[in-house]
Amino acid sequence: MAGKKPVLVPVLGDQLTRTLASLRGRAKDDTVILMMEVWDEATYVKHHKQKIALIFSAMRHFADDLRDAGWSVDYITLTDPDNAHSFTGEVARAAERHDPRAIHITEPGEWRVRQAVEEWPDKFACDVEIFADDRFIASIAEFRDWADGRKTLRMENFYQEMRKKSGLLMVDGKPEGGKWNYDAENREPPKKGLSAPERFKPEPDAITREVLELVAEKFADHFGELEPFRWPVTREEAEEAADRFFAERLADFGTYQDAMVHGEDDLFHSMLSTSINIGLLDPMELCQRAQKAYHDGDAPLNAVEGFIRQIIGWREYVRGFYWYHMPGLARDNAMDAQRSLPEFYWTGETDMRCIADSVRSTRENAHAHHIQRLMVLGNFALIAGIHPRAVEDWFLVVYADAFEWVELPNVAAMALYADGGKLASKPYAASGNYINKMSDYCKKCRYSPSVKTGEDACPFGPLYWHFMERHRDRLQSNHRIGRIYANWDRMDADKRRDYLDTAETFLEGLTPASEGWARSG
């Protein structure tokens, strides 16, 4: 590279993909790849220890892979004494070292990082080019074109467009099997003794062990247990995890994807979201493998369609929704929820067995599956009236697969209805009956869903009716909710009062979370 100014290509921690748009077509002797472990990104919220370890270890492995392939990689570790600890600061230092003729970067996935990057042309003397992240099926512009002019932005409509565009599970322009969506077949409660084959859990190598020591030292006050650490940190490990899922778990994934079993943290879920979200796995390749499993007779259509819908339907949709509604989405609070997050979201110390087990899994694994997140943890926050910012921070902190573009729409819009219905047609509020049906939590719980009011009642029941009553003016005209108010109105006044009193007594007894769990200072 002597005598020739290179192109500087910053690669972020969720861009660990060889075919990244900003790398594609670049000459190795004309490029310096910059990778940065920076304090600002690890601490803007106090991310789960395993999440930080996952990203730093995956970055270090990716950097080694790039070097082995002949790329020049400038890698800045967290402990570099000159580390500026921000992306912009580190790009500035790299610009001084390498005097690039241009900076090429693939668009960041989060709003706040994109805003910082868009200031780079004014900060640096060279050209700055931002490339679209084409690891998604739909570009941000394509989603905007789809959304503009629509009164409602429903995932199902968008999903059908993605099926047509990708050709997945399509036969002569029509959906495989005659239906777009087989979700009705994917709601089976857990049968007694339900368990799944253990997922692939790679052992930490020397690089990961070094990162674990770093995280233990530097982030000791962050939430979560650091070990055992069993996340894939290389493409090879991620591919083995995918192989095991397709061979051993996909066939039953659809049927039991909404089931919850105490102590069974994974069940039949793929556990591939971390590898997809940081770039180790190609989502389209996974969808094509799932489709092949169906065509080969190795998995039923309801399982395969459900898996594909989570990726090209829901994942693509929430990413587009995020960019379409930011930055306002981060401020939305349509339900005027003002209550503090309870301390038990961090400690798991509650007699509600469903929440205790979901928090335990979250603390130990940096993971809980989507129904635990939506219908246990999110549902409680919704019906208890917890402030969206506190809930959003919590979800962003605790899950290894949580980046704001995917976390915020799922929490603010889906779980909390904070956007007022732009995403969901009604609030996902539910009593303890749903949890009782879809899990084994309630059998050994201190509370009982069959007890409706009083100190032994499952709190989800009274809180559900309290939520519906306090938001009646907003919700009763919703055609999907009207019959619920008819049921409420048929109750005698004393029964309604008992529900509300039980809920208010429970809410008054909640201990607010202490300061410093999610953010420092």
Side-chain angles (χ1 to χ4, degrees), residues 68-103:
D68 289 345
W71 293 93
S72 174
V73 180
D74 187 356
Y75 193 99
I76 309 302
T77 64
L78 190 77
T79 54
D80 185 318
D82 296 322
N83 193 323
H85 290 299
S86 71
F87 287 148
T88 299
E90 278 308 306
V91 171
R93 289 208 310 130
E96 291 180 1
R97 289 192 298 273
H98 302 291
D99 189 23
R101 70 178 187 273
I103 296 170

Side-chain angles (χ1 to χ4, degrees), residues 161-175:
E161 293 300 314
M162 294 300 98
R163 286 274 294 277
K164 294 172 186 175
K165 180 178 181 179
S166 68
L168 289 164
L169 294 181
M170 299 295 293
V171 179
D172 297 328
K174 295 182 180 181

Side-chain angles (χ1 to χ4, degrees), residues 432-481:
N433 292 333
Y434 176 87
I435 297 169
N436 190 31
K437 175 186 175 184
M438 296 305 301
S439 78
D440 66 352
Y441 288 139
C442 303
K443 291 182 177 66
K444 296 182 180 180
C445 187
R446 171 233 175 294
Y447 299 107
S448 172
S450 64
V451 178
K452 303 304 181 185
T453 60
E455 62 180 16
D456 293 327
C458 169
F460 280 84
L463 288 175
Y464 171 80
W465 287 118
H466 193 274
F467 169 83
M468 298 304 296
E469 177 62 18
R470 70 179 184 267
H471 294 296
R472 182 166 192 152
D473 288 347
R474 170 182 286 274
L475 298 178
Q476 66 181 346
S477 62
N478 186 312
H479 71 281
R480 298 191 65 190
I481 293 178

Side-chain angles (χ1 to χ4, degrees), residues 226-246:
L226 182 56
E227 298 194 63
F229 179 89
R230 293 293 186 267
W231 292 106
V233 294
T234 67
R235 179 172 174 83
E236 291 73 25
E237 288 179 347
E239 287 178 334
E240 179 146 359
D243 290 345
R244 289 273 288 273
F245 167 68
F246 287 117

Side-chain angles (χ1 to χ4, degrees), residues 119-132:
E119 295 177 357
W120 288 1
D122 296 329
K123 292 180 179 292
F124 303 121
C126 62
D127 291 337
V128 176
E129 186 171 355
I130 302 172
F131 291 75

Side-chain angles (χ1 to χ4, degrees), residues 309-329:
R309 177 160 28 91
Q310 284 193 344
I311 294 179
I312 72 165
W314 193 247
R315 183 175 185 268
E316 293 276 338
Y317 169 77
V318 296
R319 188 243 190 175
F321 187 94
Y322 170 81
W323 286 102
Y324 193 73
H325 287 293
M326 283 296 281
L329 183 62

Side-chain angles (χ1 to χ4, degrees), residues 207-443:
I207 292 175
T208 300
R209 291 245 59 98
E210 184 177 11
V211 169
L212 293 174
E213 291 173 6
L214 171 72
V215 173
E217 177 188 352
K218 299 295 185 182
F219 305 99
D221 65 336
H222 283 222
F223 174 80
E225 297 178 12
L226 182 56
E227 298 194 63
F229 179 89
R230 293 293 186 267
W231 292 106
V233 294
T234 67
R235 179 172 174 83
E236 291 73 25
E237 288 179 347
E239 287 178 334
E240 179 146 359
D243 290 345
R244 289 273 288 273
F245 167 68
F246 287 117
E248 300 176 0
R249 299 154 76 100
L250 174 63
D252 290 309
F253 162 72
T255 301
Y256 295 112
Q257 69 172 345
D258 288 1
M260 297 174 283
V261 177
H262 189 275
E264 286 284 337
D265 298 337
D266 309 338
L267 276 181
F268 296 98
H269 294 270
S270 74
M271 305 296 289
L272 300 177
S273 56
T274 54
S275 297
I276 297 171
N277 287 354
I278 65 175
L280 299 181
L281 292 176
D282 183 318
M284 265 301 288
E285 289 179 3
L286 294 174
C287 290
Q288 289 162 351
R289 288 191 64 179
Q291 177 177 253
K292 185 176 186 300
Y294 169 67
H295 288 153
D296 290 348
D298 295 329
L301 184 55
N302 68 303
V304 169
E305 187 278 320
F307 178 79
I308 289 174
R309 177 160 28 91
Q310 284 193 344
I311 294 179
I312 72 165
W314 193 247
R315 183 175 185 268
E316 293 276 338
Y317 169 77
V318 296
R319 188 243 190 175
F321 187 94
Y322 170 81
W323 286 102
Y324 193 73
H325 287 293
M326 283 296 281
L329 183 62
R331 300 189 295 266
D332 282 348
N333 188 3
M335 308 306 281
D336 192 30
Q338 299 296 333
R339 194 173 302 278
S340 298
L341 188 77
E343 181 79 357
F344 59 64
Y345 270 76
W346 299 107
T347 65
E349 295 174 2
T350 172
D351 288 338
M352 290 179 285
R353 195 165 178 252
C354 57
I355 288 183
D357 191 55
S358 298
V359 173
R360 176 205 55 78
S361 177
T362 300
R363 182 178 62 250
E364 292 178 0
N365 307 314
H367 179 268
H369 72 65
H370 70 284
I371 294 299
Q372 291 171 309
R373 299 191 202 192
L374 176 64
M375 299 309 298
V376 176
L377 299 161
N379 180 29
F380 183 91
L382 170 68
I383 60 181
I386 311 303
H387 195 286
R389 185 74 266 169
V391 185
E392 292 153 9
D393 278 355
W394 185 84
F395 274 88
L396 187 58
V397 165
V398 302
Y399 292 120
D401 58 3
F403 293 86
E404 190 184 67
W405 66 264
V406 66
E407 169 272 329
L408 187 59
N410 272 294
V411 176
M414 185 69 170
L416 302 181
Y417 206 66
D419 68 337
K422 298 183 184 75
L423 185 148
S425 59
K426 69 177 183 65
Y428 270 77
S431 70
N433 292 333
Y434 176 87
I435 297 169
N436 190 31
K437 175 186 175 184
M438 296 305 301
S439 78
D440 66 352
Y441 288 139
C442 303
K443 291 182 177 66

